[in-house]
Amino acid sequence: MNTASKRKPLSEQLAYGLFWSWNLIFLSFMVLGYAPRLLPELIIEVRNGVIPFSYLIYASVLACVPVAGVILGLTLLRRAPARLFALGYVIEGPLMLILAVRFFVIRQATLSLTALLLYAGVGMAAFLWHLLDVQDEGRGAFPGAPWLRLAGLTVMLITCLYASIWIAFYAVPVITEALRWILHTIGHLGEFFRGVVRFFQDSLREGLIWLPFALLGFILILYTGTLFVLTPVAVPLLSARAWWRALRQQIQRSGRFWPLALVVVVVLASVGLFFFANQQPQKQVFEWLSEPPASSQQAQALVEKSDAIRNGLLNAYLAPFRYISSTGEVRHISDIYMGTFKLDSAQAFAVQRLYEGVARPLIYSPAAAENKTPGQDNIAFRQDPIEAARLYQSFFDQPIVEGERAAIVNAVRSTWSADQAEAAWQAVDDREVHLMRQEVTVSEHGDWADVELFEVYQNNTLQRQEVIYYFNLPESAVLTGIWLGESPDREARFTYRVSPRGAAQAVYVEQTRRQIDPALLEQIGPRQYRLRAFPIQPLVSRWDENRTRRVVEDAPPFYLWLTYRTFAIENAWPLPRLAVVRNLFWDKDTVRLLNGEPWQVAGTDWLPVSVPASQAVQPVSHRYDLPGGESVLAVPASQVALPVLPQGLRLAMVLDRSRSMAAYVEQISSTLHDLQEKLGADVPVDIYLTSSAFRGEQPSVISLADLDAQNILYFGGQNAAELLAQFDAQRENRAYDAVLVFTDGSGYELGPAPAQFPIPDVPVWLVHMGGNIPLGYDDLTLEAIQASGGGVEGDLDAALQRFALARVGAEGEGRDVLDGYVWSVLPTDAAQVQVASVDEQDGFAAFAARRLILAEMQRNRNQIKDLETLDYLHEIAKQYSIITPYSSMIVLVTDRQQQQLDLLETKDDRFTREYEAIGETNLANQIPMAGVPEPHEWLLIGVAMAILLYYSFRKRLASGNV
């Protein structure tokens, strides 16, 4: 036999050449680049919990696919060039493309995308079965194997046709641009070779390790380009041939009807699955919630749809993580076709709409109107999450980040990039700033103590950050100071200034916009406070000495001191109770000291509830004489006979019917029963049933005897201000001795008072179910509570006890029982009768000033908004250096800041404070998203392997090597 007869046909040589060259190059790429550079880092981040474990599986399978292909090529398919070609172009290449897109582009897979990938996997498995079963008859397999193969190959054919149509949108312009590039290169060979020489020079200068990776990656793109360009034609033909062969064989065995029926069933099931899986819930949910329900029946119907509403709002909120773009905004397609084929905008937009229909599993359907603004992308990704968060808050009466935290954290961590996962996780879980050090120092003075909290912060991000605390202290405690420092040196720290609350807030907000250091400490409730410090300086990013790479250094520490004064409670010193913290986290590396000694804090707590006193604390009576002939007394409650609740009281009870109150149905019912028993069965109690604007009915008033507490519909959300406003509107001329507001710990997040209302002429007591005290109150509500002589409690008995004590005191005496002491403000001669000795220490002065201000608020309730009254209250706060509802502490670091504050303190609105939201995470604005590349990028990375190169160059860019 001569040599020519042994030579394989050209088609077989081409099949062998394409398969082996592509696989060998890809294996080299994996060994020299992808595997050693990506997989170790990915393993570390998965182990650290930053990236989900599924991404390690995707990466590993992606690396193993060409290995499996080579093994099959060396064994079962070694003498079958046609099957090798089919393995590479129908299974191996598309599978790697799918895995690469899923790994690098898609963050959290939706049901539709998951179904599509599983569907494609079934088809590929059937085609692989077809390739490996060399007899092609299914002999030796189970009886239903031929039918199963036919169904699988039908799935494969449908998948290939679908994928080919999708890829064709890119293949056509890529071929066109490639031909133009070839022609341009031929015409400018000198420029081309000069560019190649510069590339090698740059690679040699930057390090040889990148040279083989870049060369192999470039060659890999060229080879993979054949897959990309030929796929819309070759893959459907190969799949169709396999399908037709299986169908023909089955027809020969079983006749025409049943094989064709199976094919029809598979086709119809596939179409049905596509349309079913691609139903997105957000449009329907937004329509349901677009208008408040018109009746309680409609409200109840919405409550019954809670799960569907939750899914729809969550899908809209997480749209930037689940989809690559939205309908009407996949502009890279229209841009490509306008640039490549010179189509006008209408023609290009028609192509874009066709593409959006094909790419439906990856395209978000906006809940609002589609984007019609030329040149603006991702409108839906910015607007819909904000609207979804608003609707969620209105319907479920809690922020979506709190209600769906687990789902949101899982979504934002779904990425191959540790940088993106960590940044997103930081934004959701407030992990931007690390609490490096925390020291608590307690200085005991008998039955009261001075407590200092010293903390050191360090920023973990490249942006300036603000640390925000919402915390509670016992109502009798008083905050006495705050300082900032650039070092732990107390002598060099910046001290506070007591300023009118509105002026202090205005300066703080303006200075944070200018990126200058301030800190602000405010009172936002009878026992609630807010502390903000800015800016915690970012990581230091700079060029190294040779300016060849960027070096990231630790951020400088930020130092903060806070002091307060408190009485002992149950033989211990209370510590601040954290309600909410923003942008800060602590861990096992946080150094914690108590009075200079290491101590342990349980779990994830910021601070323990209290610090045990060094010895048994014996409460004693205190008296402080103030200028003007008045004194403040604090007498241990154990030495005072507390009054019982008087009979025949006329009480109004305001019942919050927000959705979050549904968790307290049993407690509400028992509390109402106890209240009626305390007052007497014959004493009427008016129940004010509140109603949110989202409820669909007006607020109403009924008697307690007529209330069915077990069957109340809790719906929508309201804050305390809205509850009081509705009470005032419904009260008419009814006279009461007190107003009890039954609510829970939510509401502050809903914003300020929706309407103005006067300070009630009787005490207002807010009873928070479950003892859940909210973050705070808007200023109008806080004023109404304190100026009316009321207060805030976590249970009914405590509120009634305090009310009964205040009722037997004289007007403006401010009698109250708090934290184990009975407090009162009396003329000095009357105070001497009750407590003969005066505190020799000035320490009790801060407690006394705080109690005097509360008494003065009640005395001047009718003039509480007059500047003269407010200035008088503020002067007391300044004199005794304390925080009050009207006086805040602000730390400023420059003379210009001080001058600005001087000016604002003379303005008429110096006590007017704007409501400030907590600062919920807006995912669309704060978290890096996987976006759609620009048109020229699509033409360069039209194949999946180019995405792999993206990882390489991205890491180089981050390290400054390019």
Side-chain angles (χ1 to χ4, degrees):
M1 186 180 292
N2 57 32
T3 305
S5 64
K6 295 181 180 179
R7 187 175 301 164
K8 295 183 180 295
L10 179 61
S11 60
E12 292 187 7
Q13 295 180 31
L14 183 61
Y16 275 124
L18 285 174
F19 177 84
W20 286 113
S21 58
W22 190 88
N23 274 278
L24 291 175
I25 291 173
F26 196 93
L27 283 176
S28 301
F29 177 85
M30 285 290 183
V31 172
L32 296 176
Y34 173 85
R37 305 196 69 85
L38 177 60
L39 287 181
E41 181 177 323
L42 196 61
I43 292 172
I44 293 173
E45 298 302 336
V46 169
R47 182 180 300 170
N48 292 337
V50 176
I51 295 175
F53 180 72
S54 59
Y55 277 81
L56 180 58
I57 296 177
Y58 297 142
S60 301
V61 173
L62 186 60
C64 291
V65 167
V67 176
V70 169
I71 293 174
L72 288 174
L74 291 173
T75 56
L76 298 178
L77 303 179
R78 183 165 58 91
R79 300 183 183 279
R83 292 173 185 264
L84 275 180
F85 180 82
L87 175 66
Y89 272 76
V90 181
I91 296 179
E92 187 178 2
L95 179 58
M96 296 199 65
L97 176 61
I98 290 173
L99 287 171
V101 171
R102 175 64 188 93
F103 183 79
F104 290 103
V105 178
I106 306 302
R107 299 197 64 163
Q108 188 178 51
T110 60
L111 172 63
S112 59
L113 182 62
T114 301
L116 180 62
L117 296 180
L118 291 175
Y119 190 83
V122 169
M124 289 183 180
F127 193 86
L128 181 61
W129 182 9
H130 161 74
L131 290 180
L132 299 181
D133 186 2
V134 294
Q135 297 186 25
D136 214 11
E137 294 285 345
R139 287 196 295 264
F142 57 92
W147 296 99
L148 184 61
R149 177 187 290 185
L150 176 59
L153 290 175
T154 304
V155 168
M156 184 61 183
L157 179 60
I158 295 172
T159 302
C160 289
L161 292 173
Y162 174 70
S164 296
I165 294 172
W166 194 336
I167 295 175
F169 281 95
Y170 298 104
V172 173
V174 164
I175 293 171
T176 303
E177 291 294 337
L179 291 174
R180 290 175 180 170
W181 177 80
I182 293 172
L183 294 175
H184 178 272
T185 302
I186 293 174
H188 302 80
L189 286 176
E191 180 181 342
F192 172 75
F193 285 113
R194 284 192 296 272
V196 172
V197 171
R198 283 196 301 271
F199 167 75
F200 279 102
Q201 290 174 341
D202 292 341
S203 298
L204 291 172
R205 184 165 53 250
E206 295 169 4
L208 291 175
I209 188 173
W210 289 102
L211 185 58
F213 188 33
L215 286 175
L216 289 169
F218 180 73
I219 297 173
L220 186 61
I221 288 179
L222 294 181
Y223 267 84
T224 308
T226 64
L227 169 68
F228 186 66
V229 172
L230 294 179
T231 291
V233 177
V235 174
L237 288 177
L238 292 171
S239 299
R241 188 171 67 177
W243 171 79
W244 176 248
R245 187 169 183 175
L247 176 62
R248 186 176 58 188
Q249 290 173 353
Q250 201 59 27
I251 288 175
Q252 291 174 354
R253 296 188 188 102
S254 307
R256 290 180 178 272
F257 178 78
W258 291 112
L260 292 177
L262 176 63
V263 171
V264 171
V265 169
V266 172
V267 171
L268 292 178
S270 301
V271 173
L273 176 63
F274 181 85
F275 284 100
F276 171 77
N278 281 284
Q279 298 301 310
Q280 297 180 18
Q282 62 275 357
K283 273 193 173 182
Q284 180 66 70
V285 170
F286 274 49
E287 289 177 6
W288 287 342
L289 304 182
S290 60
E291 295 291 338
S295 66
S296 58
Q297 291 76 16
Q298 291 185 10
Q300 181 63 47
L302 287 178
V303 171
E304 293 172 358
K305 299 174 182 175
S306 294
D307 290 342
I309 291 173
R310 177 178 285 104
N311 291 335
L313 295 179
L314 192 60
N315 196 58
Y317 190 71
L318 296 177
F321 297 94
R322 295 178 170 180
Y323 305 92
I324 62 171
S325 189
S326 59
T327 303
E329 298 184 359
V330 191
R331 299 186 184 278
H332 71 275
I333 289 294
S334 55
D335 290 343
I336 286 173
Y337 278 79
M338 282 193 293
T340 302
F341 301 108
K342 310 304 179 185
L343 302 181
D344 59 37
S345 58
Q347 293 171 325
F349 187 71
V351 176
Q352 175 183 319
R353 295 310 295 260
L354 290 174
Y355 176 86
E356 290 172 351
V358 173
R360 178 71 174 172
L362 296 180
I363 306 299
Y364 173 72
S365 179
E370 293 181 7
N371 179 17
K372 302 296 184 182
T373 307
Q376 294 191 25
D377 289 334
N378 294 327
I379 298 297
F381 281 179
R382 291 195 294 270
Q383 294 180 349
D384 278 17
I386 295 174
E387 181 64 8
R390 185 190 70 81
L391 291 174
Y392 190 99
Q393 175 80 69
S394 298
F395 186 83
F396 292 104
D397 196 25
Q398 65 175 328
I400 191 171
V401 173
E402 299 300 328
E404 308 296 335
R405 179 169 295 276
I408 293 172
V409 169
N410 182 59
V412 302
R413 289 174 56 236
S414 296
T415 175
W416 63 274
S417 169
D419 294 338
Q420 286 192 11
E422 197 158 13
W425 196 3
Q426 285 174 346
V428 175
D429 264 2
D430 297 305
R431 299 174 61 85
E432 290 88 346
V433 179
H434 182 231
L435 177 59
M436 298 176 60
R437 189 178 186 89
Q438 180 188 78
E439 297 183 26
V440 175
T441 304
V442 180
S443 302
E444 301 182 10
H445 304 277
D447 59 349
W448 63 270
D450 281 313
V451 181
E452 179 186 82
L453 175 64
F454 170 60
E455 293 190 331
V456 183
Y457 312 117
Q458 188 171 54
N459 196 341
N460 285 345
T461 74
L462 291 170
Q463 291 81 38
R464 291 182 174 90
Q465 299 292 341
E466 178 185 34
V467 168
I468 306 175
Y469 284 115
Y470 287 80
F471 64 92
N472 299 328
L473 281 171
E475 198 165 335
S476 63
V478 57
L479 285 158
T480 56
I482 181 173
W483 297 262
L484 296 182
E486 297 174 348
S487 73
D489 183 4
R490 291 173 176 268
E491 300 300 323
R493 63 186 182 177
F494 301 100
T495 191
Y496 64 90
R497 174 171 165 180
V498 179
S499 179
R501 65 186 184 188
Q505 182 194 54
V507 170
Y508 180 87
V509 171
E510 196 276 337
Q511 293 305 305
T512 55
R513 290 173 181 162
R514 299 183 64 240
Q515 308 290 297
I516 301 177
D517 304 53
L520 181 63
L521 183 59
E522 308 170 278
Q523 183 173 2
I524 57 174
R527 61 185 75 176
Q528 298 106 309
Y529 300 88
R530 176 171 58 202
L531 168 62
R532 293 183 287 177
F534 180 89
I536 316 300
Q537 295 295 343
L539 295 167
V540 179
S541 177
R542 62 176 180 81
W543 290 99
D544 65 5
E545 295 179 357
N546 299 323
R547 295 192 61 80
T548 58
R549 59 188 297 268
R550 296 196 67 83
V551 178
V552 178
E553 299 176 348
D554 289 341
F558 185 97
Y559 301 85
L560 182 143
W561 292 260
L562 180 146
T563 60
Y564 67 94
R565 195 162 290 170
T566 183
F567 278 93
I569 298 179
E570 297 181 355
N571 215 49
W573 308 112
L575 294 178
R577 297 293 302 274
L578 182 66
V580 167
V581 65
R582 288 287 180 260
N583 306 329
L584 183 70
F585 74 100
W586 43 90
D587 54 23
K588 59 182 178 59
D589 295 325
T590 300
V591 177
R592 298 180 187 259
L593 301 176
L594 171 61
N595 292 329
E597 299 294 330
W599 69 325
Q600 297 295 321
V601 178
T604 58
D605 291 344
W606 175 42
L607 289 164
V609 175
S610 61
V611 174
S614 61
Q615 57 187 359
V617 176
Q618 182 63 41
V620 297
S621 296
H622 297 270
R623 178 181 125 212
Y624 188 83
D625 296 335
L626 297 159
E630 286 193 304
S631 298
V632 174
L633 301 183
V635 180
S638 60
Q639 302 176 15
V640 179
L642 298 176
V644 297
L645 191 68
Q647 293 296 310
L649 290 175
R650 178 70 172 170
L651 299 181
M653 202 211 79
V654 181
L655 179 59
D656 179 6
R657 291 193 293 171
S658 298
R659 182 175 178 81
S660 56
M661 288 284 285
Y664 306 102
V665 171
E666 295 300 329
Q667 184 180 354
I668 293 170
S669 181
S670 62
T671 300
L672 294 176
H673 181 267
D674 292 345
L675 177 62
Q676 188 69 77
E677 282 193 343
K678 292 177 185 298
L679 296 176
D682 298 331
V683 177
V685 177
D686 290 335
I687 306 294
Y688 287 76
L689 299 175
T690 64
S691 181
S692 75
F694 204 65
R695 187 180 180 88
E697 65 175 282
Q698 296 299 314
S700 58
V701 185
I702 65 173
S703 68
L704 177 56
D706 297 331
L707 180 68
D708 183 2
Q710 291 289 334
N711 294 312
I712 297 174
L713 173 64
Y714 294 97
F715 189 80
Q718 294 177 277
N719 58 18
E722 191 172 358
L723 304 180
L724 292 176
Q726 290 188 1
F727 163 74
D728 181 71
Q730 297 289 314
R731 180 181 180 182
E732 298 177 346
N733 295 321
R734 300 180 182 92
Y736 299 106
D737 295 301
V739 179
L740 298 174
V741 181
F742 285 11
T743 182
D744 62 352
S746 66
Y748 180 81
E749 303 88 347
L750 293 177
Q756 294 293 315
F757 55 88
I759 294 174
D761 56 358
V762 294
V764 174
W765 289 92
L766 268 62
V767 181
H768 292 280
M769 296 291 100
N772 295 315
I773 305 299
L775 301 182
Y777 307 96
D778 63 276
D779 287 342
L780 181 60
T781 302
L782 179 57
E783 202 168 66
I785 294 170
Q786 295 187 314
S788 70
V792 173
E793 277 297 343
D795 66 83
L796 177 63
D797 289 341
L800 292 178
Q801 178 64 78
R802 293 176 64 184
F803 164 66
L805 180 64
R807 185 174 175 80
V808 301
E811 178 69 22
E813 190 173 305
R815 283 172 60 87
D816 202 353
V817 54
L818 276 176
D819 305 325
Y821 292 82
V822 173
W823 299 78
S824 56
V825 179
L826 301 171
T828 299
D829 55 355
Q832 291 173 344
V833 175
Q834 296 189 32
V835 180
S837 61
V838 181
D839 274 36
E840 296 180 359
Q841 304 178 58
D842 290 334
F844 188 69
F847 295 109
R850 174 181 173 83
R851 179 51 50 180
L852 174 63
I853 289 173
L854 292 175
E856 290 293 341
M857 288 177 64
Q858 186 176 359
R859 293 170 183 171
N860 296 279
R861 71 173 69 176
N862 295 327
Q863 297 85 33
I864 196 65
K865 298 185 184 301
D866 294 347
L867 283 177
E868 183 178 351
T869 301
L870 296 177
D871 283 337
Y872 165 60
L873 299 178
H874 177 61
E875 285 302 318
I876 298 174
K878 286 180 60 178
Q879 180 180 351
Y880 294 96
S881 189
I882 62 173
I883 293 283
T884 75
Y886 296 101
S887 303
S888 303
M889 286 182 178
I890 185 168
V891 180
L892 302 173
V893 300
T894 67
D895 292 338
R896 185 180 182 280
Q897 291 175 327
Q898 300 284 355
Q899 294 168 2
Q900 182 185 14
L901 184 57
D902 290 338
L903 176 63
L904 291 178
E905 286 185 346
T906 65
K907 302 291 185 180
D908 290 344
D909 62 351
R910 55 186 175 271
F911 292 100
T912 303
R913 181 168 57 182
E914 298 293 331
Y915 170 86
E916 292 191 56
I918 300 174
E920 292 297 342
T921 301
N922 179 3
L923 297 183
N925 293 337
Q926 298 188 21
I927 297 176
M929 301 297 169
V932 177
E934 296 297 322
H936 66 279
E937 293 175 321
W938 274 108
L939 293 177
L940 292 175
I941 66 168
V943 293
M945 295 310 100
I947 305 174
L948 300 177
L949 284 181
Y950 164 74
Y951 169 78
S952 164
F953 290 112
R954 184 179 181 280
K955 300 300 287 186
R956 296 177 69 191
L957 182 62
S959 62
N961 287 334
V962 294

